[in-house]
Structure formats: structure tokens, C-alpha cells
Amino acid sequence: LQCGVSGDKVSIVPGFLGVDASPALSIPDMVRDFVDSHEPVFGATASVDPEYGIPLMLALLERLYSTYPRLGLILMGPNLDAVRSQYEPLPGNVLATGPLPHASVIGTMQQLHVFLRPTHFDGDSISVREALALNIPVVASQVGFRPPGVTLFPAGNLEAFVAAVDTVLHDNTSRTDTSGCQEHSPRERLTKVYNQLFQ
């Protein structure tokens, strides 16, 4: 737009084509065992890079433990050894899976009560869109771009993070208000854009 391109020639399309929510998706045994012994279960895709906010999630667990003594957190993502070395000993209510095949990530997400994205900066997170498409409530920091249906809190604010998660846990409608994300696939919009380009 700053270069003078007409606004009707610009289209912003999310890089998200939906998820396969098939019940046949694999759930790793360690995840299944963890879910069986914890409730509620939070989850996040994260690495040790500081922008992902792992310390904030660990602080969240400490703050909510007295109210939810069986709560658990599943951290999915690369660099398992780095996560363990930086945060050892991990609390017993935290499961760090390391990298998982995408089908296992989706299968794990389906087991969650809340998906967390407390990043300090972000883009249009695919994992947030995947969780919404699976009808999993999402609590995320108010940075970057967040699609409709996400419960937001100011980045780095532990008090607001705790309050947002607690609100979502008490809101019985939160799982039914996010299902629209899957219905608005950008496939048709992308096809239309390409058709216009090739005409």
C-alpha cells in the first residue's frame, strides 16, 4: 500500500488450511498416561527461546496449583535436551515431549483443556489456529495477530495470564465458541487470487 498499490489488489490470507481431526490420530503413550493422571491439562508448542514464555507457564502452574492440584502442562516442541537442562528439575506436572510428528501434535492437542501461547512476540501462529479448529480454548498474549476466539492477556503479565486461564476454565461455553476457525479455510480465497493473477 505504501508503494501505491490499490487496496483492492491486496489480500491477506492466513497460511492455514485446516486440520485433520480424525479420531484415528496417534497419541503418544507418554501423553496418554499424563492426561489420565492430570486435570485440567494445558498444552503449548514451545522451545527454550525466551520469546515462547516457558517461565511464565511454569509460574502459571504454581499460581493455579492450590485451586487445581491435578493440573498438568504438556510442552511440545524441539530441543528436548535444552528444555530439560534449562528447567531441570521440571515439576512433576510438566511433560516435555520433544519434537512430535504433526499427527501426534494434533492428537495431543485434542486432549487439552486449554492451549497456551504466552509469547512475547509472535506472528499469525499456526498452532493457535490448529487449537481453535479443534475447538480447544486458547489463551494467548496480546501480540502479533490473533484470530477471533482467542482469550487475550497483556504479554508478560502473570496476573492477567492467571486470570485469563482461570476464566476460560470456568467458562463452559469456551469450547463451543471457537469452532468457526476451521470453517473459514483460505483455500477458496487463494484459488480466487491465483485465478485473478492468471487471467
Side-chain angles (χ1 to χ4, degrees), residues 43-67:
T45 53
S47 75
V48 293
D49 297 324
E51 65 265 26
Y52 283 97
I54 289 180
L56 199 63
M57 289 187 273
L58 297 178
L60 171 81
L61 296 187
E62 288 183 15
R63 292 288 298 275
L64 290 178
Y65 181 77
S66 61
T67 306

Side-chain angles (χ1 to χ4, degrees), residues 125-173:
S125 167
I126 296 298
S127 60
V128 165
R129 289 187 177 273
E130 287 172 333
L132 290 174
L134 293 169
N135 212 16
I136 305 300
V138 177
V139 174
S141 52
Q142 198 166 2
V143 297
F145 177 82
R146 303 300 189 198
V150 176
T151 300
L152 300 172
F153 72 96
N157 187 323
L158 177 60
E159 298 294 331
F161 188 28
V162 171
V165 170
D166 199 39
T167 297
V168 166
L169 288 173
H170 283 93
D171 182 4
N172 293 328
T173 65

Side-chain angles (χ1 to χ4, degrees), residues 20-27 32 103 106-107 110-111 134:
D20 174 11
S22 166
L25 288 174
S26 61
I27 302 171
R32 197 181 302 276
I106 298 301
Q110 289 177 304
Q111 311 306 306
L134 293 169

Side-chain angles (χ1 to χ4, degrees):
L1 294 175
Q2 289 176 344
C3 291
V5 177
S6 173
D8 61 359
K9 294 186 180 295
V10 176
S11 183
I12 299 174
V13 183
F16 175 69
L17 299 177
V19 295
D20 174 11
S22 166
L25 288 174
S26 61
I27 302 171
D29 289 341
M30 60 180 168
V31 170
R32 197 181 302 276
D33 293 343
F34 188 83
V35 169
D36 286 344
S37 58
H38 294 85
E39 186 177 355
V41 178
F42 308 140
T45 53
S47 75
V48 293
D49 297 324
E51 65 265 26
Y52 283 97
I54 289 180
L56 199 63
M57 289 187 273
L58 297 178
L60 171 81
L61 296 187
E62 288 183 15
R63 292 288 298 275
L64 290 178
Y65 181 77
S66 61
T67 306
Y68 306 98
R70 296 184 64 236
L71 62 74
L73 170 65
I74 300 174
L75 293 174
M76 300 170 279
N79 306 322
L80 177 59
D81 290 339
V83 171
R84 286 177 172 162
S85 65
Q86 188 161 335
Y87 296 105
E88 280 289 353
L90 280 171
N93 58 355
V94 176
L95 172 65
T97 67
L100 295 174
H102 189 251
S104 296
V105 171
I106 298 301
T108 299
M109 278 188 175
Q110 289 177 304
Q111 311 306 306
L112 303 178
H113 294 90
V114 184
F115 183 78
L116 306 177
R117 186 76 177 177
T119 45
H120 293 283
F121 55 88
D122 214 337
D124 186 353
S125 167
I126 296 298
S127 60
V128 165
R129 289 187 177 273
E130 287 172 333
L132 290 174
L134 293 169
N135 212 16
I136 305 300
V138 177
V139 174
S141 52
Q142 198 166 2
V143 297
F145 177 82
R146 303 300 189 198
V150 176
T151 300
L152 300 172
F153 72 96
N157 187 323
L158 177 60
E159 298 294 331
F161 188 28
V162 171
V165 170
D166 199 39
T167 297
V168 166
L169 288 173
H170 283 93
D171 182 4
N172 293 328
T173 65
S174 57
R175 279 186 175 261
T176 59
D177 289 342
T178 59
S179 57
C181 186
Q182 179 89 329
E183 298 168 5
H184 302 293
S185 168
R187 283 188 179 92
E188 294 78 14
R189 292 178 62 192
L190 286 170
T191 302
K192 183 178 179 182
V193 168
Y194 282 117
N195 284 338
Q196 290 172 340
L197 286 172
F198 288 115
Q199 281 177 356

